[in-house]
Each structure stands twice: as structure tokens, then as C-alpha cells.
Amino acid sequence: MVCALGIEGSANKIGVGIIRDGEVLANVRRTYVTPPGEGFLPKETAAHHRDFIHQLIKQALKESQLQPKDLDVICYTKGPGMAPPLLIGAIVARTLSLLWEIPLLGVNHCIGHIEMGRLITGAVNPIVLYVSGGNTQVIAYSNKRYRIFGETIDIAVGNCLDRFARIIKLSNDPSPGYNIEQLAKCGKNYIKLPYVVKGMDVSFSGILSHIEDLADPSKRRNKRKKAEITVEEPEYTKEDLCYSLQETIFAMLVEITERAMAHCESNEVLIVGGVGCNERLQEMMRIMCEERGGKLFAIDERYCIDNGLMIAHAGAEMFRSGTRMSFEDSFVTQRYRTDEVLVTWRDD
Amino acid sequence: MQPSTDSGSDEHTENKATEATLKIPFETAKSAEIAYRVLSVDKEPRRNFVKKDLTLVGDQIEVHFVADQVKNLRTAITSFFGALLLCTDTIKEFELKNSDNDNAGAHASANSA
């Protein structure tokens, strides 16, 4: 029986979760929301996390009706992510570990997403599509590692969506991706965009530049062509742009996921990460899975978007299988690949 | 090419370092030790060119900074204070009260752990 507290703060969400043997006892979260047109910056995000981390821990303990002495392990996000926000979680986790005399464990953020998805859906050995603001990876488990089959070669899919939302000045509340999804539902015309799949990898930065240009031609970098711009620039509505962007980039993701399924002869797909709660992505993936006789596993925003619970759960699994960490190793790292972690808790 | 110059490299004026020492007292030696261990984990970023040494002296932490430039020293000290305050605030908020033996006034038994 392992009871774990997890602290997550690698991006603009700060979350605390408590889990006991797969039973969710608490999962609380605050999001740093910036004004339309602005992204979140490391320093400001860290300040936000600092303001809320203590009250979130108190809230989680209260909801779970536990005392510190009931916990077996304290888990925090070791990386990947932005250093200043990561450090907030790490420093608090270290301090609590020494104060309460409870072991400390650093958890890979990506592993947290994967294990949370498996726990909630019950998927046994799925192909995992991990899509968020900072990561885009197609992952399959093999021989004690989560191996990356395909990934983005530049920016993450969520980063592409977030930045597009900034260009067209969409609200960041509750999240830019959610607002794009709502607008896209009203889109009627598909605008042709570049479709960039390179083997098992995808690329989004070119698509972003292209759609940026369609959305706001006045910001075109090549000013020499100014004369041509005024001739015939078709008007695109925000709705059509959102719709076309979603259709294009999600089709790319479905394609590489399908190829990974064929390669691994798997018929299960699990979508995790913040973009994973987009219902259009889930719908497209479900169609692909059904055509192949497979099954899609998806989760809702409580567990999809970054949360403390996933760190607690992955940490609990590690702890149960005997993983320990010395206190001196409780640093944070901005780069920490999914396949660096030895998966000690799976026996298949 | 004279190979013998490498031992005398400290004659360059750029090697004059800016230094600072902070002495931070704590209410108890236990708190000082926790803060010392928590803050010792993070190394200075390599590009910062600041050397940071922490020592624990009873109920006090001493931090010594050596930097090549004043502005780097300021950055290092600012971020150190940020981490220190977060740690001490966390101690204040989540310190376990000795509820087991607070009925009697026995101070000696409080340290049984």
C-alpha cells in the first residue's frame, strides 16, 4: 500500500494530488492565465506558483483527510519543463520531505501523463500519443522503456495552437486550445495548409508561419512584396482558420499514430497531455481506430491537463517497485526524455 | 611559446572577483539544517560564472558567493533569496507540531525523535 503526494509545476499549471493504491484522494490545480495575445514567461509563472503552492497542499491534505504521517512518499516533477516553475515544486517537496521525514522521489513529467492515462482508462499496453504545449510524442512500451517512435522536430502541437491563439487574440481562459476548439466548431470552409509529416516525425513551425500570414498579412516579414498583397488577399474568418488548423495538424498526428500501431501490431491508442482533451482530436483518432478494429482510450481534462495526481501516481508506482532517490539528486532538469526512465514497475 | 606561464595566470586584472557572504540565522538548528540541505541541491547555472558555497554553522547558514561580475552576483543572490524564502515559508506553514507530548511542560522529552 503506497500513499503518495505529488506536486506538479513544470509549465503554467501548479497542481497537487494525493493517491493511495490507485484511489484518487485529492487533485487540485491552479492555472496561470495570461491576457489575450500574451504567453506565459518563466519568471512570472514561477511567481504565480509560489503564491498558490502552499494553499494547494493544504487543500489537498484537507480533501484527502490525511495527516502528513499517513504519506509514504512525496513526489515532484523533475523535468522536462521550465526551470523556474519546476524549482518552486522541487524546493517545497524537498522541504516537506525533510520536515515530515518522508522519502522524496523525482518524477518524469511525460511518464506521469502516461501512467495516469493507463490508470484511468485501464489500457494495458497502448500506443501513447502525448500531445501538450511542450511535447508531441508517439510512444510505445518495449523492454522496460517507453520508447519514442515519432515526435515533433520543432515546436509542440500545443505550442502551435497557443501561438496561433495569440495571433488572433483569443482568450487564454480557460486555455487557448479550448477556445480554438470552440471557434473551430463554427468553421465551414477548409483552407489548404501545409501538411508536414516526415517519416514518423511531424513539424508545426512552418504551418504556424503560414497560417500567421493568412490571419494577419500586415505582419508579413517580406515587405518587398507589399504591392502584391493589396491586390487580392482573400478574407479568412477566424472560425475557418481555427477549423483548418485543427483538421490539418490532427490529421498529421493521426497518421503517425496509425503507423506506430501498424508497426507494433497494437490495437489500443491512449491520448494524454493537454491537447488530448480536444474532442475533435479524440473523434478523428476514434474513427481511425475503429477502421482498424482498434480501441481509443481518452481522458478528460482533470487528468489530461497537467496535474499533481499524475506525478503522485507515477511516483507511487516507482516507489512500489523499489525506486529510491538520494536527497542530493533532487534537482530539476529542463531536458529529461521519456526514454531515459527505466520502467521498473511493469513486468511485461 | 613559453610553457611556463600557466601557473601565473592570476596576474590578469580580469581575475579580480567580487565576493559576498550572507549569514542567515534560524530559530532552531533543525530548521537551519533543513534549509541547508534543501538549498545545497541546486547548483549555480554554468553560464552564470558564480561560485556558491554553503556551510552550516549551528543554527546559522553561511553562503559565500564569488562572481566575476557584479551583475551576475546580484542575479545569484536574488535567486538564492527566492529559494530561501520559499523554503523558510514552507517550514513555517507545514512544521509538525509536537501534539503527542504538549500536554505536559516537559521540554526534554520533545526531542525524542
Side-chain angles (χ1 to χ4, degrees):
Chain A
M1 189 142 144
V2 177
C3 184
L5 179 140
I7 301 175
E8 150 65 27
S10 62
N12 68 334
K13 270 77 89 183
I14 176 82
V16 180
I18 298 176
I19 199 161
R20 185 172 56 201
D21 275 343
E23 185 197 351
V24 178
L25 299 182
N27 187 21
V28 292
R29 172 172 66 202
R30 292 287 301 229
T31 306
Y32 173 51
V33 177
T34 48
E38 289 178 31
F40 58 93
L41 299 167
K43 212 175 134 190
E44 286 74 13
T45 310
H48 167 270
H49 290 5
R50 198 197 186 294
D51 288 344
F52 291 104
I53 189 164
H54 290 152
Q55 70 184 61
L56 285 172
I57 293 169
K58 284 181 185 166
Q59 195 184 337
L61 283 171
K62 196 176 169 198
E63 277 182 24
S64 66
Q65 298 182 320
L66 292 182
Q67 297 299 315
K69 64 173 164 53
D70 301 324
L71 300 168
D72 298 305
V73 60
I74 291 175
C75 315
Y76 73 97
T77 310
K78 194 180 177 82
M82 300 197 297
L86 279 173
L87 260 178
I88 301 292
I91 288 170
V92 171
R94 277 178 218 152
T95 310
L96 292 181
S97 164
L98 293 179
L99 267 181
W100 297 345
E101 294 170 4
I102 298 167
L104 182 64
L105 210 49
V107 175
N108 180 302
H109 182 85
C110 315
I111 300 289
H113 275 296
I114 297 170
E115 291 306 332
M116 197 71 226
R118 286 180 63 225
L119 174 76
I120 297 294
T121 62
V124 183
N125 187 21
I127 298 287
V128 182
L129 178 67
Y130 170 29
V131 276
S132 69
N135 291 281
T136 305
Q137 298 176 340
V138 178
I139 300 158
Y141 174 82
S142 165
N143 198 15
K144 297 272 175 195
R145 300 266 175 192
Y146 282 110
R147 300 188 193 267
I148 302 168
F149 267 63
E151 62 187 319
T152 176
I153 55 175
D154 40 57
I155 58 173
V157 58
N159 192 233
C160 180
L161 290 168
D162 291 355
R163 283 161 67 174
F164 176 65
R166 262 179 254 160
I167 292 162
I168 60 171
K169 294 280 191 299
L170 283 188
S171 166
N172 290 323
D173 186 19
S175 72
Y178 178 82
N179 293 324
I180 288 180
E181 185 181 352
Q182 305 315 311
L183 271 189
K185 286 176 182 167
C186 309
K188 290 186 177 62
N189 306 303
Y190 179 76
I191 303 154
K192 203 163 182 296
L193 295 172
Y195 181 93
V196 198
V197 173
K198 295 170 188 285
M200 283 300 291
D201 294 332
V202 287
S203 160
F204 298 107
S205 70
I207 299 173
L208 179 64
S209 304
H210 186 90
I211 198 163
E212 192 172 0
D213 201 54
L214 296 178
D216 190 358
S218 65
K219 285 202 178 139
R220 186 172 293 180
R221 273 186 226 123
N222 198 344
K223 288 278 159 65
R224 279 169 295 177
K225 290 184 181 170
K226 202 187 278 174
E228 292 169 34
I229 297 169
T230 47
V231 180
E232 41 170 335
E233 197 66 52
E235 277 291 310
Y236 299 113
T237 64
K238 284 182 181 179
E239 287 78 5
D240 286 345
L241 288 168
C242 288
Y243 165 72
S244 307
L245 181 63
Q246 278 201 166
E247 294 298 306
T248 306
I249 62 182
F250 292 166
M252 289 160 53
L253 295 173
V254 171
E255 183 190 331
I256 59 168
T257 309
E258 182 169 17
R259 205 173 294 135
M261 285 173 84
H263 183 88
C264 300
E265 294 175 354
S266 167
N267 58 3
E268 289 180 341
V269 173
L270 170 66
I271 308 181
V272 298
V275 183
C277 57
N278 186 302
E279 287 174 356
R280 179 58 186 153
L281 174 61
Q282 294 180 6
E283 184 187 357
M284 288 168 74
M285 196 65 79
R286 186 171 290 118
I287 293 169
M288 183 274 282
C289 288
E290 279 166 5
E291 284 173 358
R292 297 182 59 89
K295 192 167 179 340
L296 171 72
F297 295 91
I299 46 184
D300 66 55
E301 52 85 28
R302 286 170 300 168
Y303 308 114
C304 229
I305 297 175
D306 292 352
N307 59 83
L309 192 68
M310 68 185 206
I311 300 302
H313 173 56
E317 290 286 273
M318 290 165 75
F319 191 79
R320 188 175 54 77
S321 63
T323 307
R324 297 292 183 272
M325 186 182 79
S326 76
F327 195 81
E328 291 67 38
D329 290 331
S330 62
F331 52 86
V332 297
T333 169
Q334 304 207 60
R335 296 179 205 288
Y336 189 9
R337 280 178 70 80
T338 315
D339 48 14
E340 283 178 48
V341 179
L342 184 69
V343 181
T344 50
W345 55 93
R346 278 181 72 164
D347 296 319
D348 48 343
Chain B
M1 285 295 179
Q2 297 285 334
S4 61
T5 53
D6 61 60
S7 63
S9 62
D10 54 344
E11 69 195 19
H12 297 291
T13 49
E14 305 94 76
N15 280 10
K16 281 185 182 171
T18 309
E19 299 185 31
T21 303
L22 304 173
K23 294 184 181 179
I24 301 135
F26 287 81
E27 278 183 27
T28 63
K30 168 99 175 137
S31 301
E33 194 203 335
I34 290 176
Y36 169 75
R37 291 186 63 191
V38 167
L39 299 170
S40 295
V41 174
D42 298 307
K43 303 288 167 255
E44 284 295 312
R46 208 161 282 164
R47 286 173 303 166
N48 205 12
F49 304 111
V50 178
K51 205 169 156 294
K52 179 179 77 183
D53 281 310
L54 269 86
T55 39
L56 177 65
V57 186
D59 59 357
Q60 185 168 298
I61 296 179
E62 291 188 14
V63 204
H64 188 67
F65 294 90
V66 183
D68 66 331
Q69 287 179 43
V70 177
K71 104 179 154 188
N72 292 344
L73 183 68
R74 177 180 62 187
T75 315
I77 292 178
T78 305
S79 62
F80 178 79
F81 276 138
L84 173 74
L85 288 168
L86 178 57
C87 177
T88 51
D89 285 354
T90 307
I91 294 174
K92 259 180 234 154
E93 294 278 346
F94 294 102
E95 210 167 10
L96 295 180
K97 307 286 180 287
N98 281 345
S99 52
D100 311 334
N101 35 5
D102 63 353
N103 40 12
H107 288 272
S109 64
N111 266 345
S112 58

